[in-house]
Amino acid sequence: MYERTRFWEEGANLLLPPQASTTAAQIDAVFWFITITSAILLAIVTAAMVYFVKRYRRRSHADRTEVVHESRVLEISWVVVPTLLVMVVFFWGFRAYVATAIPPDDAYSVQVKGQSWFWTFEHPSGLITQSELVVPVGQPVRLTMTSQDVLHSFFVPEFRIKMDVVPNRLTTIWFEAPQEGIYQVVCTEYCGKDHSNMGAHIRVVSRAAYIEYMRTGGGQDLNLPPAELGEQLYTSRACNACHTTDGSAGTGPTWLGIWGQPRPGSPEGTVNDEYLRAAILAPGAYVAPGFQNVMPSFEGLLDSTQVNALAAYIRLINGAATPSDTTLPADSTAAPAN
Ligand code: CUA
């Protein structure tokens, strides 16, 4: 589930956030060099301006009769000094750019897809997650990114990486996180109504925890009654980006009160199991009246157990749960505990 740390909350930083990738220090060094040099130049230019404005204001008696001759030293210095500064910024910045643009050969490859308004990650094992990417600590990770719809931009402030995510094109960026932790991803390309909520987390965990995460298919507890699994999926698969469960308005219809509502396109004319399954896998064909056709298909992103679990969860919040929605499947006692 994605939750953003607001800048006034504890742990946030109004200047630069902590450096949490192996390349962050290089980026920051260039950043501070440019910032401090600019501040010094601004101070010099402003001081000179104030001095001359005061000295040669109309009412002043400063001597103005002398003819001013060119100063070779001054002219050479104002050409050479800025040129040198710009060259330093270029070469230093270029080195930092190359460091973040070219991943090491042994990098894990993760496919990233941006779409309005969430991120999907395909791990090297084939596991697909939404709004959360889990990677091992101290491991270079290459992100190969594309967009399903419009321009997005993938930005991880603590890693100092940012890259546009473009439809019909693959862009890449990489990082290596030397410490465990949870880091925010934000979208930095205005992409529509919920752009500001289009985030994700990168969770950097120990190698053992990573292996366990993969073994359990994304830390998913399969020993859960369907409705509870559905509740987990509601947040972990970013359904909550568009659908509320308390009746309040969202990009999509709220799930509260939806069960049994009349719906064109539904086999029995109302929202039932069959309708929900179809609408999750092929939403474009089942747009609820009064809503836009913006929901992506979850075909291939959710398996049938997960689709059923979501339907069970929707039944539960609508007071229509069946006993099998809230109890463990009979054969699950034989399954190994997680
Ligand atoms: Cu995606 Cu802004």
Side-chain angles (χ1 to χ4, degrees), residues 1-2 130 219-241 243-246 255 280 302 305-318 321 325-326:
M1 177 181 172
Y2 167 68
Q130 263 122 29
Q220 189 169 255
D221 188 356
L222 294 172
N223 266 338
L224 281 179
E228 264 179 62
L229 175 60
E231 186 176 3
Q232 280 190 3
L233 293 166
Y234 169 68
T235 48
S236 70
R237 296 310 175 99
C239 309
N240 60 354
H243 300 280
T244 69
T245 56
D246 59 4
W255 285 357
I280 290 169
L302 296 171
T305 310
Q306 294 169 325
V307 172
N308 287 334
L310 282 169
Y313 177 54
I314 290 174
R315 275 195 294 276
L316 180 71
I317 56 181
N318 284 284
D325 289 341
T326 50

Side-chain angles (χ1 to χ4, degrees), residues 46-59:
T46 309
M49 191 183 74
V50 169
Y51 171 76
F52 287 124
V53 163
K54 186 170 184 306
R55 184 176 157 90
Y56 292 109
R57 71 192 190 283
R58 183 180 281 254
R59 275 176 288 115

Side-chain angles (χ1 to χ4, degrees), residues 47 49 57 91 97 106 152 186 224 269 276:
M49 191 183 74
R57 71 192 190 283
F91 283 106
Y97 170 77
D106 61 341
H152 302 279
V186 288
L224 281 179
L276 287 175

Side-chain angles (χ1 to χ4, degrees), residues 152 187 189-191 195 198:
H152 302 279
C187 178
E189 185 79 55
Y190 180 66
C191 55
H195 155 73
M198 182 171 169

Side-chain angles (χ1 to χ4, degrees), residues 114-119 149-154 186-192 194-199:
Q115 61 202 85
S116 304
W117 293 279
F118 60 93
W119 300 99
D149 37 45
V150 295
L151 289 178
H152 302 279
S153 182
F154 190 91
V186 288
C187 178
T188 42
E189 185 79 55
Y190 180 66
C191 55
D194 282 343
H195 155 73
S196 62
N197 283 324
M198 182 171 169

Side-chain angles (χ1 to χ4, degrees), residues 51-107:
Y51 171 76
F52 287 124
V53 163
K54 186 170 184 306
R55 184 176 157 90
Y56 292 109
R57 71 192 190 283
R58 183 180 281 254
R59 275 176 288 115
S60 84
H61 300 293
D63 182 12
R64 294 176 173 87
T65 52
E66 202 182 332
V67 177
V68 178
H69 292 282
E70 69 213 48
S71 158
R72 189 111 335 141
V73 175
L74 200 59
E75 286 182 11
I76 289 175
S77 64
W78 77 44
V79 169
V80 170
V81 172
T83 306
L84 285 177
L85 284 176
V86 169
M87 294 309 269
V88 167
V89 170
F90 172 74
F91 283 106
W92 201 353
F94 186 67
R95 278 188 55 175
Y97 170 77
V98 168
T100 57
I102 302 176
D105 289 341
D106 61 341

